[in-house]
């Protein structure tokens, strides 16, 4: 059962319905003109005395004058509205349906989002018995605080959504899907995702976090870069090295290295919105996510020669748990002490 779940993270993982449990799918959609992004997060929260399912959204839109706005919201439903099928995969929450080929959305309260999007063939990450998913062999470890799966690094969209009466055509746009399940998000983590680059066939997803394990905590990281179907993986489990070159409230620079090459990711946040995150299964923590993020990637070979550069926009960026100066310590986070104080760099 654990092997099957590790290899196929898309279906519902919480079959035993434990207490203090959450599970959520993250569907991100970006329009072809890169002026609108909508991330939809269907999920379930099994915290004591508050079993429920939900659809959370973050909507980022740029008007003709270049003014950026982000709206977020949380639609809560009774648990009997949650229906899931393993094969072919489907999650249904009230009138909202999420599959591997389409999304049907019907939300109406503080915002109205209605429509259907079709999803083309997923660009998936490499898998093997020893590396069943983005978590590598850590996916086999029981009772991890949070499990993570990358479902599609990139796919093309077709269809429209009507948001507050405005019809937005996503045809020819880009989609991305990942998911998380367990008890809580990490106390401190960084997350960057982008598949809207100048060069059309690039996509990247990376995260780093303090991970509790066996009554201790280690700093784990995962980064997957895909260029024209070629995958570059930097992770704790494949003996890669990682450091935060700098981190402020608006800018991040991350550096990854292994025997196959080196990668630098530089990212800037612009406009962020508040989302609800799990703690002990209960959806009560507040985090910030930017969908207007800017990103630059530089890939080097073993001799430090640049073999690929690209820049992208409409990047998803989250910086969570870094609140005061001096909270980033240790050479695996950065050579120097670093904080999230405005304007301060390592």
């Amino acid at each position: 059962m654990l092997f099957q779940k590790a290899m196929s993270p898309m279906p519902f993982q919480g079959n035993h319905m434990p207490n203090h449990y959450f599970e959520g799918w993250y569907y991100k959609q970006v329009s072809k003109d890169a002026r609108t992004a909508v991330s939809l997060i269907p999920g379930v929260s099994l915290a004591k005395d508050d079993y429920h399912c939900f659809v959370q959204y973050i909507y980022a839109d740029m008007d003709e004058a270049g003014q950026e706005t982000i709206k977020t919201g949380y639609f809560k439903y009774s648990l009997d509205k949650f229906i899931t099928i393993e094969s072919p995969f489907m999650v249904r929450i009230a009138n909202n349906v999420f599959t591997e080929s389409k999304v049907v959305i019907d939300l109406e309260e503080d915002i109205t989002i209605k429509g259907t999007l079709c999803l083309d063939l997923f660009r998936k990450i490499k898998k093997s018995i020893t590396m069943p998913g983005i978590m590598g062999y850590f996916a086999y470890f029981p009772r991890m605080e949070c499990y993570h799966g990358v479902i599609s690094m990139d796919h093309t969209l077709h269809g429209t959504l009507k948001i507050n009466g405005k019809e937005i055509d996503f045809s020819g746009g880009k989609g991305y899907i990942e998911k998380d399940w367990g008890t809580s998000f990490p106390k401190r983590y960084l997350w960057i995702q982008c598949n809207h680059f100048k060069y059309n066939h690039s996509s990247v997803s990376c995260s780093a976090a303090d991970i509790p394990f066996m009554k201790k905590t280690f700093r784990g990281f995962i980064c997957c870069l895909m260029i024209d179907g070629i995958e570059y993986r930097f992770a704790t489990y494949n003996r890669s090295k990682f450091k935060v070159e700098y981190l402020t409230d608006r800018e991040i620079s991350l550096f990854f290295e292994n025997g196959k090459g080196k990668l630098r990711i530089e990212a800037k946040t612009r406009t962020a919105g508040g989302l609800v995150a799990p703690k002990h299964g209960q959806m009560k923590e507040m985090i910030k996510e930017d969908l207007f993020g800017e990103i630059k990637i530089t890939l080097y070979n073993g001799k430090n020669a640049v073999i690929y550069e690209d820049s992208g926009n409409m990047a998803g960026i989250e910086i969570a748990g870094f609140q005061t100066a001096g909270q980033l310590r240790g050479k695996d986070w950065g050579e120097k002490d670093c904080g999230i104080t405005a304007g301060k760099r390592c």
Side-chain angles (χ1 to χ4, degrees), residues 221 241-246 253-257 263-264 330-336:
F221 62 93
K241 297 180 181 179
F242 161 70
K243 122 176 132 171
V244 177
E245 295 183 314
Y246 60 81
S253 180
L254 308 178
F255 189 77
F256 303 87
E257 179 180 0
L263 174 66
R264 176 173 285 110
K331 64 181 181 180
D332 48 352
W333 277 102
E335 295 283 336
K336 302 176 183 179

Side-chain angles (χ1 to χ4, degrees), residues 10 25-30 38-40 103 119 122-123 125 134 148-157 173-180 191-196 203-207 224 226 289 291 314 316:
M10 188 64 159
W25 294 258
Y26 179 92
Y27 283 71
K28 180 187 175 189
Q29 290 74 219
V30 179
V38 178
S39 290
L40 301 165
V103 171
L119 318 180
F122 291 175
R123 185 179 297 178
I125 64 172
I134 197 65
H148 184 64
V150 172
I151 311 302
S152 175
M153 291 286 290
D154 185 48
H155 52 268
T156 305
L157 305 170
K174 295 279 193 171
Y176 168 84
I177 303 174
E178 67 175 37
K179 69 174 297 190
D180 294 281
W191 174 79
I192 301 171
Q193 180 278 326
C194 185
N195 58 333
H196 211 285
S203 55
V204 67
S205 178
C206 70
S207 60
C224 184
M226 295 187 75
E289 181 175 325
L291 288 183
M314 305 305 280

Side-chain angles (χ1 to χ4, degrees), residues 123-304:
R123 185 179 297 178
K124 299 182 179 181
I125 64 172
K126 292 181 179 179
K127 296 182 181 181
S128 67
I129 293 176
T130 57
M131 196 171 65
I134 197 65
M135 289 183 65
Y137 53 76
F138 288 107
Y140 293 128
F141 290 13
R143 294 185 292 278
M144 298 286 284
E145 180 184 53
C146 185
Y147 293 89
H148 184 64
V150 172
I151 311 302
S152 175
M153 291 286 290
D154 185 48
H155 52 268
T156 305
L157 305 170
H158 302 279
T160 61
L161 294 180
K162 184 173 282 189
I163 303 177
N164 284 344
K166 178 182 178 181
E167 192 164 283
I168 301 169
D169 187 3
F170 283 87
S171 297
K174 295 279 193 171
Y176 168 84
I177 303 174
E178 67 175 37
K179 69 174 297 190
D180 294 281
W181 65 99
T183 57
S184 306
F185 272 9
K187 290 182 179 179
R188 296 194 301 173
Y189 70 90
L190 306 171
W191 174 79
I192 301 171
Q193 180 278 326
C194 185
N195 58 333
H196 211 285
F197 286 91
K198 288 183 178 179
Y199 180 62
N200 200 38
H201 300 291
S202 302
S203 55
V204 67
S205 178
C206 70
S207 60
D210 284 337
I211 300 172
F213 183 70
M214 300 288 287
K215 298 183 178 180
K216 295 184 179 180
T217 299
F218 70 94
R219 294 186 178 108
F221 62 93
I222 301 165
C223 183
C224 184
L225 170 65
M226 295 187 75
I227 306 168
D228 261 342
I230 299 174
E231 179 181 309
Y232 301 86
R233 184 87 61 94
F234 302 87
T236 308
Y237 52 80
N238 69 2
R239 298 185 178 181
S240 297
K241 297 180 181 179
F242 161 70
K243 122 176 132 171
V244 177
E245 295 183 314
Y246 60 81
L247 172 65
T248 75
D249 58 340
R250 306 290 274 180
E251 297 179 78
I252 308 170
S253 180
L254 308 178
F255 189 77
F256 303 87
E257 179 180 0
N258 61 26
K260 296 182 179 180
K262 302 174 183 179
L263 174 66
R264 176 173 285 110
I265 298 178
E266 299 167 272
K268 296 180 181 180
T269 65
R270 292 163 60 111
T271 307
L275 292 176
V276 186
K279 184 173 183 179
H280 304 308
Q282 188 174 4
M283 301 297 290
K284 65 177 184 178
E285 296 291 290
M286 291 302 300
I287 59 173
K288 293 281 190 177
E289 181 175 325
D290 186 3
L291 288 183
F292 284 116
E294 299 175 353
I295 184 173
K296 178 183 178 181
I297 55 176
T298 308
L299 184 66
Y300 308 83
N301 63 18
K303 297 181 179 180
N304 293 322

